[in-house]
Amino acid sequence: MLTTVATVTLRILFFRAGPQDLPYAPTLTRLLIPFALVVNFALASLTLPSGLAAVSAAMAVLGLSVTTRSLLRLRNMENRYTQTFQALLLTSTLIALAFIAPLSQLMPEILKIAQNPQLIEQNPAALNLPAGPVLLFDLLLIWNFAVSAHVYRQAADLKLVVGVLVSMLVSISLLMFVGFATSVIGSLLGLAQPAVGAGVGG
């Protein structure tokens, strides 16, 4: 089964399959959630202290589940939740894994400016980000959005334009939810505040 899942996931990433092509296996979710949590934690750790990174990773997975179920419920297609959630977990986690390399190269320069904003005010050229990682980061961001739109469109039987709009709405909602929930829970638990106030959304 894992071979089939891997094959279908690659096809989804290149827009040649949809969540309906994944084998229906509810138990697979129990394997994918820890994988997603670990990768999201590793990614969030590049911009957040470890405690907040753990909260952010958990909120990203929870938010993805809630938004996916809510959309399918609105479309009276909640029976498609399992495969859709799994498809989103698989694709977004793999792309998040790819994000780690360019972001780790960009963060030292970003942190330098964040810790001393006067540098950019005095000299706009002070933010000297390497072109390669910036381009890769942008491409991964676009790819992640396009794949999410593809999955939602397939799962909810949406037209292309509607699928893009829905994906945009979900992405913004998820980003706001993760940021707000991480901040609130971090404050309640007395966790350290992040050195940089923004990370990569899911």
Side-chain angles (χ1 to χ4, degrees):
M1 184 187 74
L2 291 179
T3 302
T4 302
V5 169
T7 301
V8 173
T9 301
L10 286 174
R11 293 180 63 215
I12 293 173
L13 283 168
F14 291 98
F15 315 105
R16 300 182 65 85
Q20 70 277 4
D21 296 305
L22 284 170
Y24 183 77
T27 56
L28 180 63
T29 304
R30 292 201 289 268
L31 297 176
L32 296 180
I33 287 178
F35 175 51
L37 288 173
V38 169
V39 173
N40 277 279
F41 172 77
L43 183 61
S45 294
L46 296 175
T47 58
L48 301 171
S50 58
L52 283 176
V55 174
S56 177
M59 292 302 101
V61 173
L62 175 62
L64 186 63
S65 173
V66 171
T67 52
T68 300
R69 188 181 292 276
S70 299
L71 171 63
L72 294 176
R73 186 173 291 169
L74 284 172
R75 297 284 292 170
N76 293 318
M77 295 175 176
E78 199 170 354
N79 60 308
R80 300 184 181 184
Y81 165 77
T82 297
Q83 288 160 293
T84 305
F85 182 49
Q86 290 174 352
L88 290 166
L89 274 180
L90 284 161
T91 55
S92 64
T93 302
L94 289 174
I95 295 176
L97 194 60
F99 264 116
I100 293 175
L103 189 58
S104 62
Q105 294 180 59
L106 296 173
M107 279 313 299
E109 191 69 24
I110 294 173
L111 284 173
K112 183 178 74 174
I113 298 299
Q115 292 164 1
N116 192 1
Q118 292 79 10
L119 287 176
I120 197 70
E121 294 174 5
Q122 296 167 1
N123 179 18
L127 186 59
N128 186 25
L129 297 177
V134 169
L135 178 61
L136 180 56
F137 184 92
D138 290 343
L139 289 175
L140 287 171
L141 203 62
I142 294 169
W143 190 22
N144 187 53
F145 176 80
V147 171
S148 296
H150 172 71
V151 170
Y152 282 124
R153 185 174 70 86
Q154 294 273 326
D157 286 340
L158 302 171
K159 293 182 178 179
L160 178 59
V161 174
V162 178
V164 170
L165 292 175
V166 166
S167 184
M168 188 179 299
L169 179 61
V170 168
S171 296
I172 294 172
S173 300
L174 188 56
L175 187 63
M176 293 176 63
F177 169 76
V178 172
F180 178 75
T182 300
S183 177
V184 171
I185 295 174
S187 297
L188 291 175
L189 296 179
L191 300 174
Q193 293 300 309
V196 177
V200 177

